[in-house]
Amino acid sequence: MAAPRPPAPSRKALGRLSLPERNFVADALRTETVGGVLLLLAAITALLWANIPALHDSYESVSHFHLGPEALGLDLSIEHWAADGLLAIFFFVAGIELKRELVAGDLRDPKAAVLPVVAAVCGMAAPALVYVVTNVTADGSLAGWAVPTATDIAFALAVLAVIGTSLPSALRAFLLTLAVVDDLFAILIIAVFFTDQINFAALGGAVVGLGVFWLLLRKGVRGWYVYIPLALVIWGLMYNSGVHATIAGVAMGLMLRCHRHEDEEHSPGEHIEHLVRPLSAGLAVPLFALFSAGVAISGGALRDVFTEPETLGVVLGLVVGKTVGIFGGTWLTVRFTRASLSDDLEWADVFAVATLAGIGFTVSLLIGELAFEGDATLTDEIKAAVLLGSLTAAALATVLLKIRNAKYRRMCEEEDRDEDADGIPDIYEQDEPEYHLRMAAIFEHKAAEHRRLAEEKAAARHALAEVAGRAGEEEHRRA
């Protein structure tokens, strides 16, 4: 009779990252954090510009100022250029991120990918369901069901930077992977649900352009002077096709090679992402926010957010739907698989990150404009709801994360400790004999130094005692 097969080992959900993945996540989030702060400043500037009476007209004039070649169908307003043009850069980076996650990151391993994918899907389905239920019961419009489904990673990181909280690397990676999967589904939503009429000639031209782009990459052709003009042509054709122009950015990002050859330190996708991400996070997204977040805010407008079913659905979707969806998806995945939560974390930590993911800004604003295109009043109200919902989620996350901040600080210090000063955190070297030999040498050096100091102190005390003794004898002699 065959011996019973031993049970499979339990995987740790949200466990320690590999060192390359940890370094990549740290670099990516460092840029996104700076971009998030700029995004926050741009949003505040937009609100001030649009709500100060003396400046309001200038905001409207600049936002609706048209420029571009009309013969090519690109005579667009500044606001339109920001939404369709600059955000294509943002989605280009999102495409590279997604490709990298699929071939070199967490998503390449189906077992590891289950948790963030299920959490992200639930984190998009629950807000949409909350919006639909809110509007069905109150007889509102269902057109905005997709508005509260997106998470803005840059805005979330800006909140962390402002409140001075540093999440452990496992939670930061979880948040980043959530955002990547979130962006993928947002792209699909935009492509499928917000394409009304298609110009097949322009779409065919865009597809041919993408084919040329792919062929040049496979042939190893290099030079920005080749790819940037081609990318602009593809973007223009995609815009005129009726499919949202940002899809062109995603498609080109997905075509880049993101796995390394033996002689490469970085893959082409990683190299280009490193170059373009600052442009996306530091310029494209903040400028989009500047011309999209400028909505009129008043006591009546804020009151209407909680009385209109469409706007209330957005707020509840972001604050309640996102939190419940991501937390519930994570809990269900751990409950019905062999995974178990990392020993260093608790479910309160997952709940706090799920609340932080309720910050939906950039893509939510974009989808809001697409969902209620033609109704300027309702579009502005939806934008106000996105802002209010995101701020509410940020406030709740701030409270929850601050409660756990002392623990996070200790975990981050432990993750970053490098006592042997070799540039690699000690937790990644615990199984290497060379590390322990280096540490033994360091401790021996410290012990020798302490012995030397102890001997010097003992000698000093002995000298003082001799001086004191001689002084006492001298006093006795005089007496």
Side-chain angles (χ1 to χ4, degrees), residues 28-271:
L29 295 188
R30 192 177 298 114
T31 303
E32 291 289 355
T33 300
V34 175
V37 174
L38 294 176
L39 173 65
L40 190 59
L41 293 174
I44 294 171
T45 301
L47 289 171
L48 293 174
W49 194 359
N51 285 277
I52 295 175
L55 300 176
H56 175 77
D57 290 342
S58 66
Y59 182 79
E60 292 294 322
S61 298
V62 173
S63 297
H64 297 113
F65 180 78
H66 279 244
L67 54 89
E70 187 173 357
L72 299 178
L74 297 174
D75 181 24
L76 310 177
S77 67
I78 297 292
E79 182 180 5
H80 209 160
W81 275 110
D84 287 78
L86 291 177
L87 278 195
I89 301 173
F90 167 80
F91 279 106
F92 174 69
V93 174
I96 300 175
E97 285 179 340
L98 178 61
K99 179 69 172 289
R100 187 201 161 276
E101 286 290 334
L102 289 171
V103 302
D106 286 345
L107 298 183
R108 80 180 185 280
D109 179 4
K111 292 181 179 179
V114 169
L115 179 63
V117 170
V118 171
V121 170
C122 292
M124 298 189 80
L129 181 61
V130 169
Y131 179 93
V132 169
V133 170
T134 303
N135 282 269
V136 166
T137 55
D139 201 23
S141 171
L142 298 181
W145 64 271
V147 175
T149 59
T151 293
D152 194 309
I153 182 67
F155 209 134
L157 292 171
V159 170
L160 292 177
V162 169
I163 65 177
T165 297
S166 180
L167 287 180
S169 58
L171 289 178
R172 283 181 284 163
F174 179 58
L175 188 60
L176 180 62
T177 308
L178 275 177
V180 170
V181 179
D182 200 292
D183 287 341
L184 168 64
F185 284 102
I187 292 160
L188 294 175
I189 288 171
I190 291 171
V192 173
F193 294 99
F194 297 105
T195 301
D196 297 327
Q197 296 179 341
I198 296 180
N199 181 332
F200 287 99
L203 182 60
V207 171
V208 170
L210 288 170
V212 173
F213 187 88
W214 180 85
L215 187 62
L216 291 174
L217 290 172
R218 291 300 169 271
K219 294 293 184 181
V221 176
R222 297 186 178 185
W224 62 267
Y225 46 84
V226 174
Y227 290 103
I228 290 182
L230 179 58
L232 292 174
V233 171
I234 294 170
W235 176 87
L237 289 168
M238 189 69 75
Y239 175 82
N240 282 286
S241 73
V243 177
H244 200 272
T246 55
I247 303 301
V250 177
M252 287 184 280
L254 287 171
M255 290 181 180
L256 293 174
R257 177 168 61 82
C258 291
H259 61 273
R260 303 176 190 176
H261 290 162
E262 290 184 2
D263 58 341
E264 291 179 332
E265 184 178 355
H266 301 287
S267 68
E270 290 174 325
H271 176 67

Side-chain angles (χ1 to χ4, degrees), residues 285-297:
V285 174
L287 280 178
F288 168 75
L290 182 63
F291 293 108
S292 293
V295 295
I297 301 295

